[in-house]
Structure formats: structure tokens, C-alpha cells
Amino acid sequence: MTSYFIQAFIYLIAAVIAVPLAKRFGLGSVLGYLVAGVVIGPLLGLVGQETTTIQHYAEFGVVMMLFLVGMELDPKGLWAMRVRLLGLGGLQVVLTAAAGSAIGWWLGLVWQTALAVGLIFALSSTAIVLQTLNEKGLAKTEGGRSAFSVLLFQDIAVIPVLALIPLLALSELMNAGDNGGHASLSLVAHLPGWAHALVVVGAIASVIAAGYYLMPLLFRYVIGSGLREVFTATALMLVIGIAALMSLVNLSPALGAFLAGVVLANSEFKHELEANIEPFKGLLLGLFFITVGAGINFTVLAAQWGTVLSLGVAVIVVKGVILLGLALLFRVRGSNGWLFALSLAQAGEFGFVLLTYSVQSRVIPADISQILSLVVALSMFLTPLLFIAYDRLVLPRYSSAKNDERDPDAIEEHAPVIVAGVGRFGQIICRLLRANNIPIVALDHEIEQIEILRKIGIKSYFGDASRSDLLEMAGIKSARLLVIALDDRDRAVQMVKHIKHAYPNVWVLARAFDRGHGYQLRDAGADDVVSETYHSALELGGHALTAMGVHPLRAKQMTWAFVQNEEVHEDELFATWKGMEGGNAFGPRYGELFMKLEEALNSAMQQEWHEPLREDVPTWTPPESEHVQKLINKTPK
């Protein structure tokens, strides 16, 4: 018994140490689990033969993953993205599988094994790609959305692939040993073909019917007990029961779980089910990838390193070429096309699952599976390098080319106010100025934003507002005010420096992302800086106080006290930041100043408050802020 606790502790501590480190270095959690398995297995020898047994249990994490994937499929959303999903995703899987199968057959594999290998390498890493796209802010780009569509199709395609693989079983491998650990209990083992088909159809129909009619009744009954752990047990019972039923009729357990997830996608219990199953899915999948890493045969790697390296590079190159061709076909061009191709060029985590399943189903020999596992792992390890190549090589080239594709608009008039950047922040400024009949010239390098302003009657021009020649065309020499509302932090700071150096008489108002960025803008010479979230946070904070029972006028007083307290200490905070050269915002002196600010704020909040006799006649009005007075005095004439 003690040995089981020690083994469990080794697996867990390996995951706890390796996964956060992998995510910190941008490698993703899947690679973290793989590295953890490699360290505790082949390198240190802390785990051994039990990894194969554990892997059989850990594979249940795949079943849970596909159950959750099925629950996320919204029919309306799928219909809206049908062109990318079926066209782009379908062609990618078919063409890549065909190319992989052809290469495998050319290398001497029988056609069944070659087809399985092609299907395995047609899939990409959902975990790595989606996480990296989100971390880099690329998920909403054209390339990111196209990659998501393909990944979603690949996740769905796993289901028919799992159903197809047992049909490719090789007779010579079937006679080579046992059943690979699969349960021998079967309801269809000795049935004729027509009866087998009827039992399979009946099992699938029963899953769908139970999901629609029986599961809601069962969950309502369980919820009536008021015990959360019973609901968790019911959720696990549902997934395990469906997996067991599919196994009894010789179907993939993942197929049944996926169907059940689709049936429950619009259920009122959807979110509660996800919340209860997600932790088990994550732990079991992590355990599965650790066992994959622990099972890597370094003897094979040392003997076949040339083959592994050649196949790994070939996978990335072949998939990349196919993806680039599809990007051109579906008009995903420029840097988005390269992002689409480079992000999906690797093999994925489902490759390990399908390789294990193929060996158990006697489709791929164990020795070939070991080599292919190394190839899958290598391609995943190279994925961060592909994203680095996109950032360092592709993006700069296409960013400059994008600016050259369309010449800046000819600016036909000058105005006393120039607004640089008309996204969600700058548009509000433009509308407010226009409502007061103040002439403005708006500049932005995103044509979509320009078109939005033109539709509501605001004069706006396409062009990079940070370019000095465009600012001169817009009349910066005679302008009274420049509002910098750019989404790019560094460009905003550089623009402030340039304007205050070349046109010191122009009043510069700048949008800051946070306190540190605000200090950078102020240090660059901006006359006034406003954080994009500061005043909205104050407004919501006042509503929060009111919601908790504070009188509305008292909440207003406390909000003003907060603002004045910040203003009193702002110069001291800025001086401290500047003295540290904008370095460590968590330095000791900075912390002391924040403590002082909080003490002063708490003192201001304790001021005596008399509730008014009538709510429509306030007995307290906020004093005129020194900040407001300074603005009045400094407003350009």
C-alpha cells in the first residue's frame, strides 16, 4: 500500500513542478506534463512498468474531454461558421491524412497502418494552439479564428477516427498477443452482422433518448437532496455508464460520451456538469500525458534519432504547405495566412491517444508506435519556435507591407483638435467633441474604425497617426490639442515624446492603460493623462457602495474623497517611480507610499456624515477639486 502512495506522490509532484514552469516559458501545459513524465521515467527511473496500467485509467480523461467538447457545440454557432468548419477544417483533415498515408505507404507500411498514421498526423494540438493564441492576443484575428475552426473540426473528427481504427486491424497483429487490455465482456461478440448492427443502433439511440428524457429527471431528483457531492457522483456515473455501454457493443467510449455531451448541450444543467467534470478531466488528461512521457523509450530515440528528427520536420513542412495552400484558397492572406499555417503545423495531443488506441486495436505495431510517439512529441516541442518565427520574421514583414498596401488618405482640412486612434476609447472622445461643434481631424490605421466614424458623420482619415508627415498634413503646427488614444503602449509614448519635442505648444492629452503606462506618458511630456479604466471603476465602485446600503450621497462623497486623496499623493508617487527609472513598482518605497495613501483614504472615509432631510435636496456638495482648478488654469487659450 505504501508504494502506491509513493508512486502517486511522484506523479503529482512532477506535475506541480513541471507544468507551471512550462507555462511560464510559453510551452503550454501539455508539454509540461510530457516533460514531467520524461524526467520521472527515462531520466530518473522513479516510475516503471506501472505506467502502462495507469495509462489505461488515465485514458478516461479523453472520454471526459470529448463529453465536454460535445457540450460546447452550439448548433447555431456551428451553422454560422459552417464554411470554415466544414470547408477549411474538412479539407485540412482529408488532404493532410491523404498526404500522410501516401508517405507512410511509400515508406513501406501496409495501407491500413499508413491510413491510421495519416489520420493521426492530420490532427493538431488544441491545447497548445488555443492557449498560445489567447496569450498573444491573436485569437480574434482572421488567422486565429480560422485556426479555431480547424481545431474544432479536428476535435469532432476524432470521433469517426476512433470508430474507424478498429476496422483497420491487421490479422497478423491480432494473433500476436492478447487484446491489449480491453475488456473481454461484449454483448455482440457472437452475434451475426445484422444483429450486431441493430444492437449498436439501439445503444446509440438509448444514449440520445436517455439524455433528452431521463437525465433531466435524474438531475432534478439529485438536486433535491441539496448535496453537491451527490451531483458530482451523478455526473461521473453518467459518463462512466455511457463509456461502459459503448464498450459492451464494441464502440469507442469516447463516441458515446461525445453524443451524450451534444444531447446535453442545451440542458439547464450544462454549466453545473462542466464545473463538476472539468477537474477530473484535467487531472486524468494530465496523468495520461505524464505516462506518455514516462513511456518514451530513450533507447529507441538514441538508435533512431535521425529518423525521428526527419519525420518530425517532415510533418511540420508537409502540414505547413497544405495549410498555406488552404489559406490562399479561403482568402486568409498576409500575416494571417502564415499564422494559420504555422500554428497548426504540429501534431497534437490526440496523436498520443490515437497511437495508444491503434496499438491496442492491432493497427500499428508497438515498435513503430514508439517512433511515432517521439515524432508527435518533437513536433509539439517545436511549436513555440514556430510562434517565435511568426513574431520575429513574419509579422514585421507584413506589418510594413500592410502599411504600404494602401496609401494614407489625403487630408483635406485642418482642425484645432487632432484625435490619434479612434477605437472604442477614441470614438467616445470624437462624439463628445462633435456634439459640441468642435472641429476635429481623426486618424487611425484600421480602416474598419474609420468607416464607423464616417457613418456617423465624423471626418476621419486612414493613416498611421504616429507618422510625422501625416500629422503635418493634419495641421499639427496650428492645432491647439492632440488627443492620443492609440491601442499601442509604446507607440503612444514615442508619439508624445516626438510631439512635445517638435511642437511644444500643442496640448497633449493621452490615454493610459494603467498607472505605470500613465507615468511613462507623463514622463514623456504629456500635459494630461487619463487611465482608460479609472473613472469607470470609480463609477462602479460608487454603485457597489450603494448596493451594500451606503446612502447615494455618502457614496458620492466617498468617491470624491478617493479622487482627492489620489491627487494629493500623485506627484509623490510619480517622483518615486521616476527615481526608480520606472523599474520596480513593487519596491519598498513604493509600498510605503501606497500604505500612506490607504491610511489617508481611510481617514477621509471616517468624516462625519449627516443624512439629508430630503433626498432630493443634498446637504453636501463636493468641493471643487484642485485637479479641476488646475485644468481650468492650464486649458490652452
Side-chain angles (χ1 to χ4, degrees), residues 225-288:
S225 69
L227 299 174
R228 182 180 178 85
E229 62 271 21
V230 178
F231 189 95
T232 303
T234 306
L236 291 174
M237 179 198 73
L238 170 65
V239 180
I240 292 173
I242 292 171
L245 176 61
M246 293 296 105
S247 297
L248 288 174
V249 297
N250 289 356
L251 285 181
S252 165
L255 172 62
F258 177 80
L259 288 175
V262 172
V263 172
L264 294 171
N266 295 318
S267 167
E268 58 189 295
F269 309 105
K270 170 184 175 180
H271 299 295
E272 188 70 16
L273 281 168
E274 289 176 331
N276 281 276
I277 292 178
E278 182 70 33
F280 294 98
K281 183 267 294 184
L283 283 173
L284 288 173
L285 270 183
L287 181 59
F288 175 79

Side-chain angles (χ1 to χ4, degrees), residues 53 87 133 231 414 613:
T53 303
L133 289 175
F231 189 95
H414 293 176
L613 298 178

Side-chain angles (χ1 to χ4, degrees), residues 498-511:
H498 168 69
I499 295 299
K500 297 310 291 185
H501 174 74
Y503 312 101
N505 293 327
V506 176
W507 193 261
V508 177
L509 305 181
R511 160 229 195 155

